[in-house]
Amino acid sequence: MQALRVMLIQNYVRTVYARGREVVERRRPLRDGGQGLPPGRHRLASPYDPDTRWSAKTDVFWNGYKVHISETCGTSGDGEASAPPNLITNVATTDATVADMAMTASIHQGLQRRDLLSAEHYVDSGYATAELIVSARDLYGLALAAPVF
């Protein structure tokens, strides 16, 4: 019941007009002249799981969590990618609002702790910044490879 109460308060506001008329309206962002909404990282998104959050990546939107998976990938002697099996070496689950790049150092620490760091770590652009590329080289001796825009 508490979760439903919080969701109601976060999404609706009771307005009392000059003549005493009360109306329940959906909250609008402050920039639209509304009453404001809590930040996404604090806003309840589901009464069934109060820890889930809404997130978006490119054109995909979801309510839930993010999972960050690292796996091995090898090459054959001629430089071609080898056939599976690839092995999962690290899994981390976060709130959906946590930026991918906030997990890069944590992933490297986890891999190092289990002696699973490789010489190269290929990631998508969300996991890399210039600072992370340099710190991966300096701290772990690995090349953080990502498309940089």
Side-chain angles (χ1 to χ4, degrees):
M1 290 304 293
Q2 181 64 16
L4 289 172
R5 179 184 175 281
V6 170
M7 289 189 76
L8 182 68
I9 291 168
Q10 289 180 154
N11 291 290
Y12 296 93
V13 63
R14 184 179 63 171
T15 304
V16 180
Y17 290 99
R19 294 186 178 183
R21 181 173 168 238
E22 291 184 34
V23 177
V24 175
E25 298 172 321
R26 196 162 174 84
R27 283 186 182 269
R28 293 186 337 249
L30 290 172
R31 70 176 182 274
D32 295 340
Q35 305 78 12
L37 297 164
R41 65 184 175 278
H42 297 302
R43 192 176 320 142
L44 289 183
S46 169
Y48 306 107
D49 186 349
D51 294 325
T52 66
R53 296 293 181 265
W54 281 100
S55 191
K57 192 163 185 176
T58 314
D59 60 346
V60 177
F61 298 88
W62 74 94
N63 177 22
Y65 302 90
K66 277 187 184 176
V67 64
H68 309 270
I69 299 173
S70 299
E71 66 177 329
T72 62
C73 63
T75 57
S76 61
D78 59 3
E80 294 295 318
S82 64
N86 291 340
L87 302 174
I88 294 176
T89 57
N90 193 69
V91 176
T93 304
T94 63
D95 288 342
T97 58
V98 173
D100 291 343
M101 72 180 72
M103 291 302 297
T104 305
S106 174
I107 290 167
H108 290 156
Q109 290 166 6
L111 290 168
Q112 182 184 45
R113 205 172 29 254
R114 292 187 311 281
D115 197 27
L116 295 172
L117 275 175
S118 60
E120 298 172 328
H121 187 186
Y122 292 89
V123 295
D124 73 31
S125 60
Y127 290 89
T129 63
E131 181 181 325
L132 288 168
I133 291 169
V134 171
S135 67
R137 182 197 64 208
D138 294 346
L139 294 173
Y140 305 105
L142 69 87
L144 183 61
V148 180
F149 300 99

